[in-house]
Amino acid sequence: MSTYDVNVAFDGVMQVGEGPLWLAQEQALYWVDIDGLAVHRLNTRTDAGNGAHTSWIMTSEPSSLARHAGGGLVVATRNGFVHLDTGTGAVTGIAPSPFDRTKARFNDGKPDAAGRFWVGTIYEPRDQPAAEMYVLEKGAVRLAWSGGMTNSNGLGFSPDNRTMYHADTTSHRITRYDFDLAGGTVANPREMRQFSMDKENGYGGRPDGAAVDSEGNYWVAMFEGGRIVKLSPSGEELDAIALPVRCPTMVAFGGDDLRTLYITTAGKRPAAELEQFPLSGRVLSVRVPVAGLEPPAYQP
């Protein structure tokens, strides 16, 4: 495990911080607080002053974000996909959720290089692997696959767009798929990494949100593990970043050179944990030696 300096990028406390997204043209970091029903923006320009932080309240839980090619953001919420005009604050519906919202909600998501927005669900009863993967494409939602997971997370795409990465947090497993960018389909799932599920021996957390760097490596937040793990495309652990929180939720590359790793964290945790880790719920940042990839936009 290498030594990294971990900083607080935003000192406000999120209940469940998630979905960090860096927009280079704005020099701003966006993220969501799922249980706080809010989308947040941190303007990192030195002249931002009192306008450095802005937030917008959603009518149902936001979980993931994508840059909209026409401006603003696409927000995946429990009730469906919406467009957030970050200039005016106006929220406009795009497509409703196609599942039973009393049992599931949208969770982690990423756009692909063709402009589709892939978002999986979390099956909240957690009594069976009944989560699903959906794709928002040209304003319509289609089902990519169903089942085999309970808490869809860790979406990412290789730099050559030939591989999709995906984690099921509940099973502690990361899977690789062959990805067809032209058709927007996946095939040939195979295990990339299985983390220990034994909480008594060798438990290092379970994989949550992730990001792929410019060299093709996969950086994943280990929820309850207090660390970020860097994996090779084949699943070999290359490095790890120890954090001053127990529950990181997702990472995103940002900054002028895309070498600042932003980390969202969960603050809705047991009192004893919050006492031990008082930075829980903050957005953290770490300078890393490799650049990330600029995220593509959703194309309506």
Side-chain angles (χ1 to χ4, degrees):
M1 185 178 292
S2 302
T3 300
Y4 291 89
D5 292 327
V6 181
N7 300 296
V8 175
F10 182 70
D11 200 32
V13 179
M14 305 294 111
Q15 294 186 57
V16 184
E18 264 286 7
L21 171 68
W22 174 259
L23 294 193
Q25 63 270 39
E26 298 181 24
Q27 290 292 291
L29 180 74
Y30 289 84
W31 70 94
V32 304
D33 182 355
I34 297 177
D35 287 29
L37 301 182
V39 176
H40 292 263
R41 176 178 64 197
L42 179 67
N43 188 331
T44 65
R45 295 187 312 232
T46 56
D47 62 353
N50 292 333
H53 174 253
T54 309
S55 63
W56 301 267
I57 297 299
M58 301 288 107
T59 56
S60 66
E61 299 98 316
S63 64
S64 51
L65 305 170
R67 177 169 62 92
H68 192 289
L73 301 174
V74 180
V75 186
T77 76
R78 182 185 293 270
N79 289 343
F81 292 98
V82 300
H83 175 257
L84 170 62
D85 185 325
T86 53
T88 67
V91 176
T92 307
I94 298 174
S97 301
F99 47 76
D100 183 349
R101 300 169 197 170
T102 68
K103 293 184 177 180
R105 65 164 171 79
F106 279 127
N107 201 42
D108 180 84
K110 287 278 176 65
D112 67 24
R116 309 176 191 92
F117 190 16
W118 295 72
V119 186
T121 66
I122 176 171
Y123 184 70
E124 292 175 315
R126 291 180 170 84
D127 56 1
Q128 57 181 307
E132 298 172 308
M133 179 65 68
Y134 290 92
V135 185
L136 177 66
E137 188 171 16
K138 303 295 184 184
V141 180
R142 65 175 169 88
L143 179 65
W145 76 79
S146 181
M149 58 187 179
T150 306
N151 185 359
S152 180
N153 256 313
L155 270 176
F157 298 92
S158 61
D160 64 5
N161 296 307
R162 297 178 63 182
T163 302
M164 173 192 280
Y165 302 99
H166 175 265
D168 176 29
T169 301
T170 302
S171 66
H172 298 205
R173 182 177 60 251
I174 301 170
T175 301
R176 297 178 62 191
Y177 294 84
D178 293 337
F179 180 59
D180 177 2
L181 179 63
T185 58
V186 296
N188 189 27
R190 56 220 183 265
E191 182 180 295
M192 175 181 169
R193 181 85 177 202
Q194 175 67 57
F195 291 94
S196 173
M197 299 183 71
D198 185 350
K199 292 196 174 184
E200 302 299 324
N201 300 289
Y203 181 63
R206 52 192 191 267
D208 203 321
V212 177
D213 68 28
S214 57
E215 297 177 353
N217 299 308
Y218 181 85
W219 300 65
V220 59
M222 298 300 292
F223 193 84
E224 292 187 337
R227 60 193 181 124
I228 306 299
V229 173
K230 177 185 176 182
L231 301 176
S232 73
S234 62
E236 175 189 6
E237 184 171 324
L238 302 176
D239 203 355
I241 302 172
L243 300 174
V245 298
R246 186 166 182 251
C247 293
T249 57
M250 192 173 173
V251 298
F253 290 92
D256 290 338
D257 56 2
L258 294 177
R259 288 180 52 231
T260 297
L261 192 70
Y262 289 103
I263 305 159
T264 49
T265 70
K268 187 179 179 181
R269 300 295 300 165
E273 181 178 316
L274 296 178
E275 183 176 357
Q276 183 180 1
F277 300 104
L279 294 182
S280 298
R282 276 69 172 181
V283 179
L284 307 177
S285 66
V286 181
R287 291 290 292 168
V288 294
V290 61
L293 297 166
E294 188 168 345
Y298 166 72
Q299 299 287 340

